[in-house]
Amino acid sequence: MTVLILLTAVPLAVSAGNTNVSISSVTVSQSTPEPGETVTLTPVVTNLQSSQSAFEMEAIAVRTTGDTDGVGELDREYNLGSLSPGSSLEVSLITEVSSPGAKNLRVIVYG
C-alpha cells in the first residue's frame, strides 16, 4: 500500500517591526511512501529583502491537519536563529508514515 502526502504551508505574514517572512517552498523526499518509511520535508523560510529587521525563528513544525490519523505534531525543530532581510533557511523535518492513505500536512513557523 502506498501513502499520498498532501502538503500545505501555512501562509506566514509577519509584520512585527516591518518584517516580511514567508515559507517560499517545501520539498518532500518521497511523495508516495509506504507505511513504515521515513519522509523528510524541507521547507524554505525566507525573510524578504523588503524587511526592515531580522526575524527570530523560534521553531518550525510539521503537523497533521485532521486526516484519519487525527491532529498532531509530527516533528519540531527549535532555536533556529535569526534571519536577516534577504536571507533564507532550509530546515529538515522528519516523520515516519504510520498508515496507508492520503496525509494532509501543514508546516508552521513560530517566531
Side-chain angles (χ1 to χ4, degrees):
M1 293 187 173
T2 58
V3 176
L4 174 63
I5 295 177
L6 307 171
L7 183 68
T8 59
V10 175
L12 181 63
V14 178
S15 60
N18 294 323
T19 302
N20 299 303
V21 178
S22 69
I23 298 173
S24 55
S25 66
V26 180
T27 58
V28 180
S29 62
Q30 302 182 61
S31 59
T32 56
E34 298 291 327
E37 291 183 328
T38 300
V39 176
T40 302
L41 297 100
T42 308
V44 177
V45 180
T46 302
N47 186 1
L48 302 178
Q49 189 66 44
S50 60
S51 295
Q52 295 179 2
S53 61
F55 175 70
E56 188 67 33
M57 196 158 70
E58 296 172 6
I60 188 168
V62 60
R63 297 179 56 104
T64 58
T65 61
D67 57 12
T68 57
D69 292 330
V71 176
E73 193 164 279
L74 302 174
D75 190 19
R76 180 187 285 234
E77 295 295 323
Y78 294 93
N79 303 319
L80 297 163
S82 182
L83 287 175
S84 59
S87 65
S88 297
L89 178 66
E90 290 185 11
V91 181
S92 293
L93 299 166
I94 300 169
T95 186
E96 183 177 308
V97 176
S98 60
S99 61
K103 306 296 178 201
N104 294 306
L105 304 177
R106 179 169 287 174
V107 174
I108 303 170
V109 174
Y110 300 90

